[in-house]
Amino acid sequence: MHLRIVAAALFSAALAHSQSGSVQGTVVDAANAPIPGASVVLQLAGSNSSIFSTSTTAEGLFTIPAVRPETYDLVVEAKGFQKSVTKKLKVDPGRELSVGSVKLDIATVAESVEVRESSDVVNLTNAEVATTITRSQIENLPSLNRSPLAFIGTQAGVNTTARGNTAINGQRVSFSNVTLDGINIQDNFIRTNALDFLPNLLLLDQVEEMTLATSNTNPALGSGSAQLTIVTPSGTNQFHGKGVWTNRNSFLAANSWFNNRNNVALGRLNQNQISGSIGGPIWKNKLFFYFNFEAFRLHQQSTASRTILTADARQGIFTYTDTAGTLRKVNVLQAAGVSADAAMAQLLGKIPGPEKINNFLIGDSRENLLRNTAGYSYLIRNNRIRNNATTKLDYLLSTRNSFSTSYIWNSDALDRPDLENGYALAPRVANDEAIKLLSLQWRFSPSGYFTNEARFGFNMAPAIFNTTETFPKAIIAGMSYSNPLNVFRLQGRNTDTFNIGSGTQASFNVEFMNAGCG
């Protein structure tokens, strides 16, 4: 008696920070028996160009890992069976697509069976809870300032903490991981704003799709119990381009009640966003490109309020109410027998005079009683200038080798009136940053049973707060009026990230032979 045991084994190593998807399924005959050695090929939708390929195991199983997010046709062939073609299979970033069982009929006159368009499939491969935000949703749904982060809050399990941060399923904010083309793009210096501030400040046309996995995430995506996987657009076999211009201005806007009350004019606002993109083939079915540039120009003014001195207080006369309710005034300089300090006199010369008092929301004065301090409201510049550029190349050399590279350059020059404590009409503090991201990916599949994906990239993202203030040797603070010297000092951080990783998936058969006689 001869006993032969054949076991199929699968070896897989996580494809670190992979933004690719995968396709899995089973090939069976009409009696649901597995068909080993069947050829499984993914083609670009509507073409006859094979992009990814594999073969089924002894159990009829197949997996095509590290698949570029795209729409494909699935072609399955086996000797003695009709060819099966499933049209328009959508592979989403960072997700496993299960096509279930592909049935092949015995070959007759018909050469192939074609499914015009695949229906929605149920995830049979893992327990991951994930949602993909598609390109049509990104293009057609409204979003604030064309930011793709606006879509995160629309997903199930996403909420806002008591501190105002976005969290997933009630977990710590720092448990979330965000990648763009497989490269981490978070502020990894301060993780408390993990889903609310990405130094890259992406805009809509830089994003093709986004997959948010909230539970049981795929280990191939890297660390983090929740994963936001973002991919940039790629070119296709057709040329596509578009242009977008939006404008928002204050021409018909009304002033605020407090500005009218304080005789402060309506602040200027003029915002323009201009975007243009183009993508297509350089070499049909092989080499594709995509380029996008978007300019954001916001010129506006915001209302600022400062505390200044009354006319008496500037002369050293302190006004107060005694215990009997009587209003009294005393010259504190004369009472102390001192003269005005030269350094303080210099500071006083830099603050607006009492004629600038236009409100009593701050200070100790009232409309019918001037004491020592009162409010001064005025308009301060609050501009923002952004440039976002994206370039991507995809080279599908063969079913064995494919390459992808993307380079993103985003600049942001932002006034920071929220960090201004003086009386400047233009803030002295500003963010002026240039963020650079590079992602290089190589997929190598020498056979239908072995696939390796290697990735290298970086995200160079400074977060620096510059100041134009000239600081003296000593800083005087603690006055009852707003300090004309902006005490905010130069500071910031570099949130640079480097990613390098490689992952392998292989399937093989192991045969054991036990021979005996009886």
Side-chain angles (χ1 to χ4, degrees):
M1 179 182 69
H2 296 276
L3 174 64
R4 185 178 186 182
I5 303 174
V6 181
L10 176 68
F11 168 75
S12 177
L15 305 175
H17 296 303
S18 176
Q19 51 85 32
S20 306
S22 65
V23 179
Q24 302 179 5
T26 308
V27 179
V28 297
D29 61 18
N32 288 325
I35 301 178
S39 169
V40 182
V41 174
L42 283 180
Q43 299 178 345
L44 287 177
S47 76
N48 293 319
S49 175
S50 298
I51 305 302
F52 306 108
S53 65
T54 188
S55 300
T56 57
T57 65
E59 289 73 27
L61 303 173
F62 69 88
T63 299
I64 305 179
V67 176
R68 182 177 72 121
E70 186 60 84
T71 301
Y72 297 95
D73 295 337
L74 179 69
V75 180
V76 181
E77 294 181 276
K79 187 175 181 180
F81 293 89
Q82 296 178 7
K83 180 172 69 173
S84 172
V85 181
T86 304
K87 297 284 189 178
K88 296 183 180 180
L89 274 178
K90 181 66 178 66
V91 178
D92 294 321
R95 300 182 69 179
E96 296 178 355
L97 173 64
S98 174
V99 298
S101 296
V102 179
K103 284 192 176 184
L104 299 185
D105 295 326
I106 299 296
T108 57
V109 177
E111 294 183 356
S112 65
V113 175
E114 183 175 296
V115 179
R116 285 292 180 181
E117 189 166 347
S118 63
S119 59
D120 292 337
V121 294
V122 179
N123 183 4
L124 303 175
T125 60
N126 57 45
E128 182 181 62
V129 179
T131 304
T132 297
I133 302 169
T134 65
R135 182 62 185 169
S136 61
Q137 292 173 313
I138 292 174
E139 287 182 335
N140 298 322
L141 292 177
S143 62
L144 182 63
N145 291 332
R146 292 178 52 79
S147 171
L149 292 183
F151 297 104
I152 299 177
T154 65
Q155 304 304 301
V158 180
N159 52 36
T160 303
T161 67
R163 296 184 177 182
N165 300 120
T166 301
I168 295 177
N169 291 337
Q171 300 180 91
R172 291 181 180 270
V173 175
S174 58
F175 287 3
S176 301
N177 191 54
V178 183
T179 59
L180 174 64
D181 286 351
I183 306 301
N184 187 283
I185 59 172
Q186 292 172 278
D187 181 352
N188 291 301
F189 192 92
I190 300 177
R191 289 299 297 268
T192 56
N193 52 10
L195 292 174
D196 298 290
F197 170 68
L198 301 179
N200 299 71
L201 299 172
L202 298 173
L203 295 174
L204 291 186
D205 286 340
Q206 294 182 294
V207 175
E208 176 68 18
E209 289 184 322
M210 303 163 54
T211 293
L212 181 63
T214 59
S215 180
N216 299 318
T217 57
N218 191 327
L221 298 176
S223 60
S225 59
Q227 299 281 342
L228 179 62
T229 305
I230 307 173
V231 295
T232 54
S234 294
T236 64
N237 273 327
Q238 292 81 36
F239 285 100
H240 293 281
K242 72 173 185 178
V244 175
W245 172 56
T246 63
N247 175 265
R248 175 180 170 226
N249 60 67
S250 56
F251 182 73
L252 297 176
N255 204 358
S256 68
W257 186 91
F258 286 103
N259 276 0
N260 286 332
R261 176 67 176 81
N262 301 329
N263 294 318
V264 178
L266 172 66
R268 177 172 61 107
L269 186 151
N270 189 34
Q271 175 181 303
N272 287 283
Q273 285 183 266
I274 302 173
S275 173
S277 59
I278 186 171
I282 299 176
W283 180 8
K284 195 171 184 179
N285 295 328
K286 293 292 184 181
L287 183 60
F288 309 93
F289 79 98
Y290 175 83
F291 175 76
N292 163 257
F293 179 79
E294 184 155 346
F296 177 92
R297 300 292 185 268
L298 173 61
H299 299 277
Q300 67 175 349
Q301 294 171 308
S302 300
T303 303
S305 293
R306 304 287 184 257
T307 303
I308 60 177
L309 296 176
T310 62
D312 283 350
R314 290 180 71 95
Q315 304 302 316
I317 300 173
F318 181 69
T319 303
Y320 68 101
T321 303
D322 63 16
T323 55
T326 304
L327 186 68
R328 296 185 178 275
K329 294 179 181 288
V330 59
N331 190 312
V332 293
L333 295 177
Q334 292 179 359
V338 297
S339 58
D341 182 81
M344 297 304 298
Q346 185 178 14
L347 281 177
L348 284 175
K350 295 180 180 179
I351 69 172
E355 72 279 0
K356 295 293 186 178
I357 294 175
N358 57 11
N359 72 84
F360 301 95
L361 300 174
I362 50 180
D364 62 358
S365 298
R366 301 192 300 271
E367 289 190 55
N368 59 351
L369 177 60
L370 286 179
R371 293 187 178 180
N372 306 291
T373 57
Y376 166 50
S377 295
Y378 65 99
L379 296 175
I380 185 172
R381 194 185 72 189
N382 189 9
N383 291 349
R384 187 170 201 173
I385 307 298
R386 292 175 58 185
N387 298 288
N388 291 48
T390 303
T391 302
K392 188 171 185 180
L393 290 173
D394 294 284
Y395 185 27
L396 309 178
L397 177 62
S398 65
T399 57
R400 291 188 175 188
N401 291 281
S402 62
F403 305 88
S404 179
T405 178
S406 53
Y407 181 78
I408 292 176
W409 176 81
N410 298 334
S411 69
D412 186 24
L414 171 66
D415 286 335
R416 296 303 301 263
D418 56 318
L419 302 178
E420 177 66 53
N421 59 258
Y423 305 91
L425 298 180
R428 298 179 179 90
V429 180
N431 301 121
D432 192 357
E433 299 150 357
I435 297 93
K436 297 175 284 292
L437 178 141
L438 174 68
S439 176
L440 301 171
Q441 181 255 342
W442 171 36
R443 183 187 188 274
F444 176 56
S445 184
S447 71
Y449 302 102
F450 180 90
T451 300
N452 183 78
E453 182 183 37
R455 184 179 302 280
F456 168 77
F458 56 76
N459 187 51
M460 313 297 285
I464 307 300
F465 297 83
N466 294 308
T467 178
T468 58
E469 184 66 88
T470 301
F471 292 95
K473 293 182 179 180
I475 296 177
I476 301 173
M479 295 83 72
S480 59
Y481 54 89
S482 299
N483 196 337
L485 178 76
N486 191 339
V487 297
F488 189 93
R489 305 301 295 265
L490 172 67
Q491 57 186 274
R493 59 195 183 275
N494 287 313
T495 63
D496 299 340
T497 302
F498 294 87
N499 286 110
I500 182 169
S502 178
T504 300
Q505 182 162 314
S507 60
F508 51 89
N509 290 332
V510 182
E511 297 188 3
F512 302 94
M513 180 73 73
N514 183 13
C517 60

